[in-house]
Amino acid sequence: MMKKQLYVWLMIVLLLAPSHALAAKTKYQWNLADIYASEADFERDYQAAADALPKLSHYEGTLQRAANVAKLFALNERIARKLEKLSLYAHLKQDLNMEDETAAQLKAKVETLAAKYAAKTAFIEPELLSLSEQTLAKLQKSKPLQPYRYYFQELREQKKHTLSKREEQLLAKLSPIMSDPENIYNHAARSDYEPPSIRTPDGKTVPLTDENYTKALEHPDRSYRKRAFQTRFQSYETIENTSAATLYASVKADELHAKARKYRSGLEAALSADDVPKQVFTNLISTVNDHLPSLHRYVELRKKALGVDRVHSYDMYVPLSDEAVAKKMKFPIETAQTFLIEGLKPLGDDYIKHVQLAFEQRWLDAYPRPKKYTGGYNTGAYDTHPFILLNYDGSLNAMLTIAHEIGHAMNSVYTNKTQPYHYSGQSIFTAEVASTANEWLMMDYLMKRAKTDEEKLYLLNQQLEQIRGTLYTQVMYSEFEQAIHDKVRQGGSLTAGELNALWLRLLKKYHGPAYAADPEAASGWLRIPHFYDAFYVYKYATSLAASFELVKQMKADKTKEATKRYLQFLSAGASDDPIRLLQKAGVDMTSPEPLENLLSYFDSLVREMEQLLKKQRKL
C-alpha cells in the first residue's frame, strides 16, 4: 500500500520538424521532454533507483520502532517516485508508436527494475501487520509518523482480516490460481473467439468487431440491426459453456477468499477494500429498482418513436434524432477548447486556468496517427503534469472525452499540489466523480445553447443514454453479480442455462412491458469482463450520482461555497475513505437522496423528449 502502484500507461512526443504546418500540429502532441529532457536524465534516475534498492532491506525486522518506519517510508518514497517517472516515460513513448523498439526496450528495462523493487518491499506490510494492535496504535500516534495516520488506520482495519504468517504465505501461493478463471475466459472470449462477418447495407462484408457492432446497432436500417444482433449473439454459443464454467470458478474463488479472510461475503470483502459501507450498495439497488418505471417509460417512448410493436435489444441504441444532426455536430479541437473553458466556468477561475494550461503546455496528444495507441485516457506521475491521450475526431463524444479526461487530470493536479505522495492517488469510487462532473457541466452548457429542436433532441438522446448506460445498466449488472455470488455462497452452482435465465429475467424487469427480451440476448452476461473483478461496476453508478449532485449544488450556490468544497474534494486524493471525502464535499452516498435526484432528472429528460417528439409529430 505504501508502494504506489505503477499503473502508468502512456505516451511520448515526436521530434519537431522545421515546417510551419508540422509545428502547428505539434501543439497537440506531447512533449516527453517534460518528463526527461535527455536520455542521460532518464539513466540518472534509473541508476539512482537501482542503487537505492538494497538499502530497503536494512529495515527488515526493525519496524516496531517509529523512527525506523519513518526512515523506511522516506526511502521507499524516493525510489517509488523515480520508478513512477521512469515507467510513465517508457509507457508513453511506446503508446505514441506501438512498434517503437527503443520504447519497448525501455519499458522492459523499467519493468525489470519495478519487479526487483516489489520484491525488496514485499516485507513491509506483512511485518507491520504482524505487530500487535498495541504497537500499531503506538506507531500511529507517534510524532515521526503523523503524516501517515490514515494509512495506519487502514492498516489496523486490515489487520482484522490478516491471517497467520503461514496462512498468508499459502494464500499468496494460491493467488495465481485464483486468477486462472479470468485468464481462461480472456483466452476464450478474446484470443480464441473469432467475430463473425456480416454484409452491410452498402454491400461491404465486415467483421463484427466491437466497433462495427456498435455502428450496426446505431444504423437506421432495422433489419440490418437485427441481423447484426442475431449474428453476434449466435456466435457466442461456442464459448457459452466455457464462460459459465470460468465465471462459476471465479465467483467460488471470490467467496472462498472472502471467507478465508473472515468476511461474511464476497460483497463485504470487495466493499471493505474501498472502505465503502454495505448500505451504499444496497441503497443503490433498491433506489434504482424503485425508479424502474422511468426506464420503462423511456423504452415505451422508443417504441412509439421507432414505430415498432415491441422494442428489441437491437432497437435500444439507434438515435431518435435526425441522422443529419449528428453529422453537423462537429467540434474542431479549437472549438472544443473554447466550449470547455465556457462550459466548465462553474468550477472557478483557478480550475479554468489549469484547463488552459492543459492546451497551452501540450498535456494532450490529440489526433490519431499510424501505430499510436487507440482510445483515450489520462495518466501522469506525482512529479509531472498530467498526460492525456486522445484520438480526436471532432464528434460530440470526442469533445466529451476531453472533458472527462481533463476531469481526471485536474483531480491529479489539485491532489498533487495538496497531498503528500502517499495520499496522491484516488480510488475508482472518487476518481470517476471528477471526470463525470465535467461531462454534466458540458452537456448542460450544450443543451442551453442548442439552436434547434433537432439539436436539443440529439443532446437529450445523448444524455438519456449516458444515464441509462452508466446507472440503470450498471445496477442491473450489480444485481446480477449479487445474485450469482449469493447462490454460490449458499452452495449452488452456475450453469450456462441458469445464467441465461437470470439475465433474461433482469432484462425484462429493468426494461418493462414495451421490451421484447430476445432469446439470443440471454447470453449477454458473458460479454462483461468486469464480472471477474467482483463488485466493481456499481462504482460507475455511484460516481455518476455523486457528480450529478455536486454539479447541481455548484450551479445553485451563488456564494461559491459548493465550488470551494468541490475543489477541496479534488485536492483530498486518498487522504480519507471515499464516503467521508464525498460527505465533506456535500454528498452523502449512504443516503438514497443523490440517486433519487439523478433518477428524477432522468425522468424529466424522458418527458422533455416526449414533448419534443410530439411537437415534431414523430409520436
Side-chain angles (χ1 to χ4, degrees):
M1 190 164 167
M2 290 307 302
K3 322 184 275 278
K4 195 171 177 187
Q5 292 180 344
L6 301 171
Y7 286 135
V8 256
W9 295 64
L10 316 6
M11 354 185 204
I12 157 180
V13 75
L14 302 179
L15 294 173
L16 290 172
S19 86
H20 180 76
L22 186 55
K25 219 172 182 183
T26 303
K27 179 182 176 183
Y28 298 110
Q29 293 179 5
W30 290 326
N31 179 13
L32 291 195
D34 288 348
I35 307 173
Y36 289 113
S38 67
E39 264 188 54
D41 290 338
F42 177 93
E43 289 299 330
R44 193 175 298 113
D45 263 4
Y46 180 90
Q47 199 57 51
D51 290 344
L53 286 184
K55 298 175 185 176
L56 291 163
S57 302
H58 298 166
Y59 295 94
E60 192 165 359
T62 72
L63 301 189
Q64 67 276 13
R65 294 183 56 201
N68 290 339
V69 176
K71 289 175 184 175
L72 171 63
F73 283 0
L75 173 62
N76 183 59
E77 177 178 325
R78 288 197 297 274
I79 299 170
R81 285 168 71 165
K82 290 187 188 303
L83 271 172
E84 191 178 54
K85 279 183 69 179
L86 292 164
S87 181
L88 176 67
Y89 182 82
H91 279 83
L92 294 184
K93 187 173 177 65
Q94 185 168 59
D95 279 1
L96 286 182
N97 181 353
M98 299 301 289
E99 296 180 10
D100 184 337
E101 291 185 9
T102 302
Q105 289 167 1
L106 284 179
K107 184 180 171 187
K109 181 177 177 178
V110 174
E111 285 174 350
T112 300
L113 184 62
K116 291 178 182 177
Y117 165 77
K120 285 289 184 183
T121 54
F123 75 92
I124 299 176
E125 285 201 357
E127 184 170 329
L128 288 171
L129 287 167
S130 71
L131 299 175
S132 68
E133 172 60 25
Q134 185 181 7
T135 303
L136 279 177
K138 188 177 175 181
L139 289 174
Q140 184 178 7
K141 293 174 184 174
S142 68
K143 189 174 181 180
L145 296 173
Q146 282 300 296
Y148 302 94
R149 283 183 66 85
Y150 177 60
Y151 168 74
F152 276 97
Q153 179 184 318
E154 284 191 307
L155 200 67
R156 292 170 69 187
E157 282 294 315
Q158 189 181 338
K159 186 172 174 61
K160 300 173 187 175
H161 303 284
T162 302
L163 310 179
S164 69
K165 184 176 181 180
R166 188 166 178 273
E167 289 168 327
E168 287 291 342
Q169 287 173 339
L170 180 59
L171 277 183
K173 289 177 181 177
L174 288 173
S175 62
I177 300 172
M178 297 289 199
S179 62
D180 279 350
E182 183 178 8
N183 293 335
I184 297 167
Y185 165 78
N186 283 332
H187 281 300
R190 298 173 188 274
S191 303
D192 296 340
Y193 173 75
E194 286 288 337
S197 293
I198 190 170
R199 196 170 181 81
T200 64
D202 59 3
K204 295 178 182 175
T205 299
V206 298
L208 269 180
T209 59
D210 289 344
E211 183 183 0
N212 287 335
Y213 182 59
T214 298
K215 288 178 182 176
L217 291 187
E218 294 173 351
H219 201 281
D221 184 336
R222 193 183 192 215
S223 64
Y224 175 55
R225 297 199 306 269
K226 179 179 180 180
R227 193 157 44 86
F229 167 78
Q230 290 178 333
T231 302
R232 175 85 174 225
F233 273 82
Q234 285 165 5
S235 74
Y236 292 143
E237 290 176 6
T238 58
I239 60 170
E240 192 174 84
N241 289 320
T242 300
S243 298
T246 56
L247 185 56
Y248 176 40
S250 180
V251 173
K252 275 198 298 184
D254 289 337
E255 292 299 327
L256 176 64
H257 191 261
K259 187 176 181 181
R261 291 212 172 277
K262 305 169 192 174
Y263 291 104
R264 286 187 288 257
S265 66
L267 173 60
E268 185 182 276
L271 295 173
S272 174
D274 284 325
D275 291 319
V276 172
K278 189 176 180 181
Q279 186 181 357
V280 171
F281 186 87
T282 54
N283 265 346
L284 178 65
I285 303 287
S286 61
T287 306
V288 168
N289 270 266
D290 289 343
H291 285 262
L292 287 179
S294 295
L295 181 56
H296 298 172
R297 185 184 184 109
Y298 177 55
V299 177
E300 178 69 30
L301 179 60
R302 278 194 158 270
K303 185 185 92 165
K304 292 176 182 175
L306 294 172
V308 296
D309 293 335
R310 305 271 300 280
V311 174
H312 291 253
S313 296
Y314 48 83
D315 296 320
M316 287 301 299
Y317 299 92
V318 60
L320 299 183
S321 56
D322 192 327
E323 193 180 356
V325 180
K327 293 177 181 176
K328 291 179 183 175
M329 296 282 276
K330 292 295 180 183
F331 306 90
I333 199 161
E334 294 80 7
T335 304
Q337 179 179 352
T338 301
F339 282 10
L340 283 161
I341 288 166
E342 288 297 313
L344 299 178
K345 273 186 176 176
L347 299 178
D349 293 342
D350 188 67
Y351 192 99
I352 294 301
K353 178 187 77 176
H354 284 96
V355 173
Q356 289 171 323
L357 286 177
F359 284 91
E360 292 166 6
Q361 296 184 353
R362 296 167 59 182
W363 297 8
L364 285 69
D365 198 278
Y367 295 111
R369 295 187 300 278
K371 303 174 187 176
K372 179 182 169 182
Y373 187 84
T374 57
Y377 56 76
N378 166 76
T379 189
Y382 188 71
D383 297 303
T384 72
H385 63 68
F387 289 82
I388 298 172
L389 182 133
L390 304 165
N391 281 272
Y392 195 75
D393 64 4
S395 64
L396 173 61
N397 278 334
M399 184 173 72
L400 292 174
T401 297
I402 297 184
H404 182 102
E405 300 305 340
I406 278 182
H408 285 309
M410 297 307 147
N411 200 176
S412 296
V413 167
Y414 279 94
T415 291
N416 293 353
K417 190 167 60 173
T418 310
Q419 297 298 329
Y421 179 73
H422 53 277
Y423 293 147
S424 62
Q426 296 93 20
S427 70
I428 294 293
F429 198 94
T430 58
E432 290 302 312
V433 174
S435 55
T436 54
N438 282 8
E439 292 188 61
W440 288 122
L441 286 165
M442 290 310 301
M443 286 300 293
D444 183 63
Y445 171 76
L446 291 170
M447 284 199 278
K448 282 177 179 173
R449 68 184 303 281
K451 295 182 177 64
T452 65
D453 285 348
E454 274 300 335
E455 281 186 13
K456 187 68 177 289
L457 189 60
Y458 176 77
L459 293 166
L460 282 171
N461 196 125
Q462 173 85 18
Q463 192 77 312
L464 282 163
E465 282 301 301
Q466 168 72 354
I467 300 170
R468 181 175 78 87
T470 310
L471 184 63
Y472 280 109
T473 300
Q474 302 304 325
V475 173
M476 188 189 87
Y477 292 173
S478 301
E479 198 168 336
F480 175 84
E481 275 192 285
Q482 187 176 30
I484 62 176
H485 276 260
D486 286 349
K487 185 175 184 187
V488 170
R489 191 174 63 259
Q490 292 159 10
S493 63
L494 300 175
T495 65
E498 290 167 329
L499 292 167
N500 286 352
L502 172 60
W503 194 259
L504 272 185
R505 282 200 302 275
L506 288 170
L507 282 174
K508 291 173 183 175
K509 171 181 153 182
Y510 272 73
H511 294 89
Y515 179 79
D518 300 285
E520 295 93 340
S523 60
W525 54 269
L526 68 76
R527 298 179 61 224
I528 316 300
H530 280 324
F531 289 153
Y532 292 85
D533 189 354
F535 300 103
Y536 178 91
V537 295
Y538 85 94
K539 300 173 194 179
Y540 291 122
T542 50
S543 296
L544 193 73
S547 64
F548 177 79
E549 188 68 16
L550 289 168
V551 167
K552 184 168 71 73
Q553 291 174 13
M554 285 188 280
K555 289 193 298 185
D557 183 12
K558 293 180 181 177
T559 68
K560 301 299 180 185
E561 282 302 310
T563 301
K564 184 179 177 182
R565 287 196 306 270
Y566 179 68
L567 295 181
Q568 288 170 344
F569 163 76
L570 293 184
S571 303
S575 62
D576 205 342
D577 76 56
I579 296 301
R580 276 199 292 268
L581 291 178
L582 284 170
Q583 285 171 339
K584 290 174 187 174
V587 181
D588 184 3
M589 290 310 297
T590 64
S591 158
E593 186 179 357
L595 292 159
E596 295 275 2
N597 290 339
L598 175 53
L599 289 159
S600 296
Y601 175 64
F602 178 86
D603 191 71
S604 73
L605 293 178
V606 175
R607 294 174 189 276
E608 187 175 357
M609 177 178 266
E610 200 170 46
Q611 292 306 310
L612 267 180
L613 288 169
K614 283 179 180 176
K615 183 180 175 183
Q616 296 180 335
R617 301 182 183 277
K618 291 182 179 179
L619 288 185

